[in-house]
């Protein structure tokens, strides 16, 4: 790994000596005798480490350090202070220097400190690469022009710095996981872990082990103690995708974590305390699952401190074009193609399609078109044949006109729920007989 | 451990695979499994239609075509195998079921089945091109369905 070092030192002999020693050690070095020039170099070139003398013309070492931190230049700073000046050494560390060295300095000591900074930098890069490979730290931009998404952005802005649990609802492929990441990576927990799990892909026992971890010997195959996702995401965020698929038994276990921040590893007896923000997502109607007894009401209320509904792409057609352009640019760069734009007919095909698979489907269609297209513009021929030869429409909830029976049923259910299930009282308040209420409540089943 | 399902509804006729590629693409994008519902049309009527078409060709001295019509098509077993092969080639977990009823009650039952994890229903072009499907019942189904219903119509016969 190349490691660039900039040395800012006004004493010419010391500067030359430092540069030649560092170069011999294999570092890429550059030097200047002026604080202002050092700042200009840092703004124009990338250096991993700046070694700056505290007394310099133009900008002194402390001022240079302050400017580097204020301009968010990603360079570590090491300050050379005068002999015995502990006060200034403490001040430099408080202002964000990675280390300091006092004059007259021992070259071996300086090299050791530079090596330590180098090792730390290597480790930071490895962690970043590892996070990127796992998708842990993947930041994805939210692209939308529609009014409904503008409201979603406003809600995210309002809750990102709070610790409240969030429930994301919306059809498959609308971008619930991207919204979850945005909430985490723009909030105050952004430098803490963000982990996610799909509750639909694991059996109950495996899910328990994944979430809470297990003690050695807890079950056959548990050859060593394992930390669960709840434990690992302590101080961070845990994203629970497809939460509606979680069994009521597991919901009860997780409820304890939501309420008290406390859990036990599988087979363990020691309680663990954690501070985790939960973001859950589902494409199902949780209220219906609650009435069927498949989803715990108390768990739902704990999760649903804030609910964010993400509309389907069909309901926000104005987002199709900006999203298409975003995916187009992304895949043109990825595939190293020289396609410039969409043809008008191709864009019309996209705008007239209902995208039942939502944004995920749009990206898939555009990726495929970019791969297939050989000309300078995306033509309809590069789009899936089905979109051209069939007229594909999707029926969806908000397009529906609700019948009087449906409205009656919803209102009757609301009144019954308000009265804690007391149907006699509900019938009395609604001004109908108990039989009529029964008939209204069971309307859809009978039809 | 449960996975969402797309339900692809098609008639068990010569166009039974029409629209299947679209359904498979969608299932892959959404990472879901697929259930294919093969609807068997009224056999008597279907057989009569076939015989009448063959007779018309025979009267026009197109004997070879008439014979082709009478012997055309695969049997149910072959169709199921062909569908399952297409699904497995596309990497989509699928199962095939057959029904002898009209499309509207079948789809209603699919959506009302609380044990199944149906995310959406796709009606193939041969269903949408069938004049025997009653428009009123059908539009009522689209209006009241609890999950999205995707209709695929050939560009020349956009229905409902």
């Amino acid at each position: 790994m190349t490691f660039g070092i900039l040395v800012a030192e006004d004493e010419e002999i010391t500067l030359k000596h430092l540069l030649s020693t560092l170069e011999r050690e294999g570092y890429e070095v550059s030097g200047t005798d002026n604080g202002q020039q050092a700042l200009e170099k840092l703004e124009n070139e990338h250096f991993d480490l700046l070694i700056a003398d505290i007394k310099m013309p133009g900008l002194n070492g402390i001022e240079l350090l302050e400017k580097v931190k204020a301009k968010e230049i990603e360079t570590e700073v090491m300050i050379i202070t005068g002999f015995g000046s502990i006060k200034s050494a403490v001040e430099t560390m408080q202002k964000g220097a990675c280390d300091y060295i006092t004059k007259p300095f021992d070259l071996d000591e300086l090299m050791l400190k530079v090596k330590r900074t180098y090792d730390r930098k290597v480790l930071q890069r490895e962690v970043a690469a590892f996070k990127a490979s796992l998708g842990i730290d993947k930041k994805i931009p939210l692209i939308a022009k529609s009014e409904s998404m503008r409201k979603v952005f406003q809600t995210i802005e309002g809750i990102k710095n709070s610790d409240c649990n969030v429930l994301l609802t919306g059809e498959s492929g609308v971008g619930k996981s991207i919204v979850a990441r945005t909430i985490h990576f723009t909030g105050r927990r952004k430098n803490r872990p963000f982990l996610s799990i799909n509750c639909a892909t694991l059996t109950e026992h495996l899910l328990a082990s994944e979430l809470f971890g297990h003690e050695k010997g807890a079950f056959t195959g548990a050859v060593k103690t394992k930390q669960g996702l709840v434990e690992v995401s302590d101080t961070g965020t845990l994203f629970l995708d497809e939460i509606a698929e979680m069994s009521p038994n597991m919901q009860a276990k997780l409820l304890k974590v939501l309420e008290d921040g406390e859990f036990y590893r599988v087979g363990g007896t020691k309680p663990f305390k954690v501070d985790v923000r939960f973001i859950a997502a589902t494409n199902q109607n949780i209220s219906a699952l609650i009435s069927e007894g498949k989803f715990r009401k108390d768990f739902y209320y704990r999760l649903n401190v804030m609910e964010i509904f993400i509309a389907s792409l069909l309901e926000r057609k104005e987002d199709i074009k900006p999203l298409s352009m975003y995916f187009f640019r992304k895949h043109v760069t990825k595939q190293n193609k020289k396609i410039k734009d969409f043809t008008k007919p191709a864009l019309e095909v996209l705008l007239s399609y209902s995208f039942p698979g939502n944004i995920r489907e749009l990206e898939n269609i555009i990726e495929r078109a970019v791969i297939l297209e050989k000309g300078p513009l995306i033509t309809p021929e590069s789009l899936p044949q089905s979109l051209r030869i069939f007229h594909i429409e999707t029926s969806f909830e908000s397009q529906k006109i609700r019948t009087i029976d449906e409205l009656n049923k919803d209102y009757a259910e609301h009144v019954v729920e308000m009265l804690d299930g007391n149907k006699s009282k509900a019938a009395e308040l609604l001004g109908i007989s108990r039989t009529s209420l029964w008939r209204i409540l069971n309307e859809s089943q009978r039809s | 451990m449960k996975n969402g399902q797309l339900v692809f509804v098609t008639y068990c006729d010569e166009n039974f695979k029409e629209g299947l590629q679209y359904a498979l693409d969608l299932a892959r994008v959404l990472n879901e499994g697929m259930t294919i519902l093969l609807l068997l049309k009224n056999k008597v009527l279907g057989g009569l239609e076939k015989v009448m078409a063959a007779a018309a060709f025979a009267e026009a001295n197109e004997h070879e075509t008439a014979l082709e019509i009478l012997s055309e098509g695969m049997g149910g077993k072959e169709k199921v195998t062909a569908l399952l092969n297409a699904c497995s080639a596309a990497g989509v977990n699928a199962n095939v079921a057959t029904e002898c009823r009209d499309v509207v009650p079948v789809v209603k039952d699919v959506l009302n089945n609380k044990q199944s994890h149906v995310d959406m229903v796709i009606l193939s072009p041969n269903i949408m091109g069938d004049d025997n499907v009653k428009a009123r019942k059908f539009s009522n189904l689209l209006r009241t369905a609890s999950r999205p219903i995707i209709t695929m119509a050939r560009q020349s016969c956009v229905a409902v």
Side-chain angles (χ1 to χ4, degrees):
Chain A
M1 188 185 96
T2 54
F3 192 75
I5 302 174
L6 175 66
V7 184
E9 167 65 73
D10 60 338
E11 284 174 28
E12 203 183 330
I13 299 168
T14 316
L15 177 64
K16 273 187 181 172
H17 188 47
L18 270 174
L19 290 176
S20 61
T21 313
L22 288 166
E23 202 165 14
R24 266 204 309 275
E25 291 293 319
Y27 299 112
E28 280 186 11
V29 291
S30 180
T32 173
D33 57 0
N34 184 300
Q36 189 59 44
Q37 279 174 10
L39 184 63
E40 281 163 19
K41 278 199 166 200
L42 287 167
E43 282 174 332
N44 297 323
E45 288 173 63
H46 174 75
F47 292 97
D48 294 289
L49 175 66
L50 163 72
I51 302 173
D53 191 2
I54 204 158
K55 280 178 189 162
M56 274 188 300
L59 276 177
N60 70 36
I62 300 278
E63 285 167 344
L64 184 58
L65 170 65
E66 283 172 348
K67 295 266 183 196
V68 167
K69 294 295 161 191
K71 287 178 187 276
E72 294 184 354
I73 299 170
E74 282 185 20
T75 302
E76 299 282 3
V77 183
M78 192 184 288
I79 298 287
I80 305 170
T81 67
F83 177 72
S85 175
I86 296 299
K87 196 181 164 197
S88 55
V90 170
E91 195 187 345
T92 58
M93 294 302 280
Q94 280 173 342
K95 287 187 189 294
C98 68
D99 216 331
Y100 70 92
I101 190 153
T102 51
K103 270 182 181 174
F105 52 80
D106 175 8
L107 265 181
D108 288 342
E109 190 192 349
L110 177 68
M111 287 306 132
L112 197 71
K113 289 193 172 186
V114 170
K115 177 78 171 64
R116 208 181 291 152
T117 312
Y118 170 80
D119 289 344
R120 196 166 52 231
K121 204 81 184 175
V122 169
L123 204 63
Q124 279 173 356
R125 284 187 195 176
E126 278 177 5
V127 169
F130 184 60
K131 276 183 172 179
S133 71
L134 289 177
I136 292 172
D137 202 10
K138 210 164 132 195
K139 293 172 202 174
I140 306 164
L142 276 173
I143 290 158
K145 275 189 174 172
S146 59
E147 182 59 24
S148 65
M149 283 309 285
R150 201 179 57 78
K151 282 181 186 163
V152 169
F153 295 158
Q154 279 176 354
T155 314
I156 293 173
E157 199 57 38
I159 59 163
K160 66 183 188 186
N161 287 321
S162 77
D163 286 334
C164 69
N165 297 327
V166 184
L167 180 66
L168 304 172
T169 56
E171 288 178 12
S172 296
V174 288
K176 296 187 286 289
S177 63
I178 294 170
V179 170
R181 282 177 189 280
T182 307
I183 294 170
H184 175 81
F185 286 111
T186 54
R188 66 166 176 230
R189 291 178 184 245
K190 66 181 173 190
N191 293 321
R192 314 304 306 170
F194 174 86
L195 297 171
S196 67
I197 186 165
N198 187 326
C199 304
T201 54
L202 299 169
T203 59
E204 190 179 327
H205 292 297
L206 270 175
L207 186 61
S209 173
E210 280 299 311
L211 283 176
F212 306 118
H214 57 73
E215 295 289 352
K216 184 180 174 184
F219 47 81
T220 315
V223 286
K224 60 180 181 181
T225 301
K226 183 193 164 191
Q227 285 188 316
L229 293 180
V230 172
E231 200 174 334
V232 179
S233 56
D234 187 18
T235 69
T237 304
L238 182 57
F239 175 51
L240 305 163
D241 201 3
E242 304 211 33
I243 191 78
E245 302 298 342
M246 191 181 269
S247 69
N249 201 11
M250 272 302 298
Q251 290 168 26
K253 286 178 188 167
L254 205 56
L255 180 64
K256 179 91 178 136
V257 189
L258 263 68
E259 282 176 344
D260 310 325
E262 203 174 273
F263 74 96
Y264 293 84
R265 286 183 188 149
V266 176
T269 50
K270 190 178 125 197
F272 288 88
K273 199 101 177 149
V274 284
D275 164 30
V276 179
R277 178 187 210 173
F278 288 91
I279 302 179
T282 182
N283 60 356
Q284 295 194 42
N285 180 351
I286 298 255
S287 305
L289 294 174
I290 291 172
S291 58
E292 286 166 28
K294 287 181 182 167
F295 206 87
R296 288 178 67 111
K297 216 175 189 174
D298 44 7
F299 184 58
Y300 171 67
Y301 289 127
R302 279 282 170 189
L303 271 181
N304 191 21
V305 177
M306 175 58 69
E307 182 173 343
I308 300 179
F309 170 72
I310 303 152
S312 67
L313 201 50
L314 180 57
E315 290 168 279
R316 46 185 176 107
K317 284 214 157 202
E318 58 269 47
D319 288 343
I320 293 177
K321 203 173 170 185
L323 281 166
S324 301
M325 293 313 293
Y326 168 72
F327 292 131
F328 169 74
R329 281 192 289 269
K330 177 182 165 183
H331 291 292
V332 163
T333 313
K334 194 174 158 189
Q335 303 293 336
N336 202 17
K337 290 256 190 165
K338 285 181 181 157
I339 310 167
K340 286 175 191 149
D341 206 341
F342 290 89
T343 59
K344 211 177 164 200
L347 212 52
E348 275 167 10
V349 170
L350 290 176
L351 291 170
S352 62
Y353 179 51
S354 57
F355 292 101
N358 289 299
I359 298 167
R360 210 182 298 161
E361 188 184 9
L362 173 65
E363 178 170 12
N364 200 280
I365 287 171
I366 289 173
E367 184 178 6
R368 179 183 181 278
V370 168
I371 292 168
L372 291 179
E373 189 58 63
K374 289 191 170 70
L377 297 167
I378 299 268
T379 57
E381 284 66 38
S382 306
L383 300 174
Q385 199 188 26
S386 314
L387 267 60
R388 286 177 282 127
I389 60 172
F390 299 122
H391 180 85
I392 301 166
E393 273 189 13
T394 310
S395 70
F396 71 104
E397 201 73 28
S398 65
Q399 265 185 341
K400 290 179 192 167
I401 296 167
R402 308 185 75 205
T403 61
I404 297 288
D405 285 345
E406 282 168 354
L407 290 172
N408 278 347
K409 186 174 181 253
D410 276 2
Y411 186 60
E413 277 175 352
H414 168 71
V415 175
V416 171
E417 204 181 309
M418 225 169 65
L419 298 167
D420 294 329
N422 188 338
K423 288 182 183 162
S424 302
K425 189 88 192 273
E428 192 188 323
L429 282 173
L430 288 167
I432 52 174
S433 68
R434 211 174 180 282
T435 322
S436 300
L437 178 64
W438 179 87
R439 198 175 297 129
I440 290 168
L441 290 174
N442 292 284
E443 189 58 44
S444 65
Q445 285 167 26
R446 288 192 299 121
S447 64
Chain B
M1 192 163 62
K2 288 153 190 168
N3 265 329
Q5 290 276 315
L6 297 188
V7 178
F8 179 65
V9 189
T10 183
Y11 279 134
C12 188
D13 61 14
E14 65 270 23
N15 293 325
F16 72 103
K17 270 183 157 181
E18 202 179 7
L20 178 67
Q21 192 53 50
Y22 170 78
L24 288 172
D25 286 345
L26 198 55
R28 261 202 314 242
V29 167
L30 296 174
N31 195 20
E32 296 195 341
M34 194 154 84
T35 297
I36 300 171
L37 270 178
L38 266 180
L39 301 187
L40 306 170
K41 277 186 185 173
N42 187 322
K43 275 188 178 172
V44 178
L45 197 64
L48 184 67
E49 275 172 4
K50 215 177 195 181
V51 171
M52 293 300 283
F57 277 101
E59 276 174 13
N61 284 329
E62 294 278 348
H63 300 290
E64 277 187 16
T65 315
L67 278 171
E68 257 177 43
I69 290 172
L70 286 174
S71 61
E72 83 176 356
M74 297 183 256
K77 234 181 188 176
E78 286 92 339
K79 280 179 184 166
V80 171
T81 313
L83 285 170
L84 289 174
N85 286 343
C87 294
S88 87
V92 175
N93 266 337
N95 57 68
V96 180
T98 52
E99 281 278 356
C100 274
R101 293 179 295 157
D102 285 342
V103 61
V104 175
V106 167
V107 173
K108 270 190 177 176
D109 281 357
V110 163
L111 295 176
N112 287 337
N113 182 359
K114 284 170 183 161
Q115 299 307 313
S116 66
H117 285 257
V118 176
D119 277 336
M120 56 182 83
V121 176
I122 305 170
L123 300 180
S124 75
N126 68 3
I127 300 261
M128 298 308 296
D130 181 11
D131 297 334
N132 294 321
V133 177
K134 289 195 174 66
R136 194 170 153 269
K137 274 190 178 177
F138 193 71
S139 57
N140 193 38
L141 170 73
L142 293 184
R143 196 173 49 74
T144 56
S146 55
R147 265 143 293 175
I149 295 182
I150 300 162
T151 54
M152 297 180 74
R154 295 174 199 110
Q155 288 287 15
S156 55
C157 59
V158 178
V160 188

